[in-house]
Amino acid sequence: MSRTVWAVLALLALAFAAVTGLAVKGGILGAQKPTAAIGGPFQLVDQTGRKVDAGALKHKWSAVFFGFTYCPEACPTTLLALGQTEKLLGPKADQFQTVFISVDPQRDTPKVMANYLSNSSFPRHAIGLTGTPQQVAAAAGAYHVFYQKAGD
């Protein structure tokens, strides 16, 4: 395999190890009562305009990350890596979803999110979420995510 593939696999392995560590620490995979280390309730809108809450994360492994469609490097690179992960999962890809939450709701409307996520190299099972600035701020707070618009 090429160095790029190995680098992506190594990065994803570290990410999955961190998620697994949080799950074990929180008791999700252990015998203790399950508690969430991060995350919480949210009310947003997906790329089809449908209202979505934290229930969308149940019953699937979810890679949740915050970004924006005008992001020049990190966001598309992450989505490309997650698209490759989906392919590597083969038939188990239906048990995995990518949840991309925009921190730029003024520009990232459902239509913009749908167009952005239509890239064939991005995950097929991606859910693009946006909402009002207050809804996005609440979701970011639940996930302990800091963001700031450039120039603010």
Side-chain angles (χ1 to χ4, degrees):
M1 283 194 229
S2 72
R3 286 185 185 177
T4 304
V5 172
W6 281 111
V8 168
L9 290 174
L11 180 63
L12 291 171
L14 285 172
F16 287 126
V19 169
T20 302
L22 288 172
V24 170
K25 181 179 177 185
I28 294 170
L29 298 179
Q32 300 173 352
K33 181 180 176 187
T35 59
I38 59 170
F42 62 81
Q43 295 285 330
L44 296 166
V45 178
D46 72 9
Q47 70 266 33
T48 68
R50 184 177 56 99
K51 291 182 181 181
V52 175
D53 61 24
L57 305 179
K58 292 184 179 181
H59 311 296
K60 286 190 178 191
W61 285 96
S62 298
V64 177
F65 82 100
F66 291 75
F68 54 104
T69 62
Y70 291 86
C71 173
E73 295 174 15
C75 302
T77 301
T78 301
L79 285 167
L80 288 169
L82 290 166
Q84 289 301 310
T85 300
E86 236 183 40
K87 290 176 184 171
L88 292 171
L89 288 171
K92 293 184 180 182
D94 289 339
Q95 300 170 24
F96 176 77
Q97 66 185 353
T98 297
V99 181
F100 176 57
I101 301 175
S102 174
V103 294
D104 188 7
Q106 289 86 357
R107 289 195 287 187
D108 291 343
T109 64
K111 183 177 180 180
V112 169
M113 295 288 277
N115 185 51
Y116 184 71
L117 293 173
S118 69
N119 183 323
S120 62
S121 296
F122 289 175
R124 290 182 306 118
H125 302 287
I127 300 171
L129 299 177
T130 189
T132 66
Q134 296 79 15
Q135 289 172 317
V136 170
Y143 282 85
H144 308 285
V145 170
F146 172 80
Y147 65 98
Q148 181 176 341
K149 192 171 185 177
D152 285 356

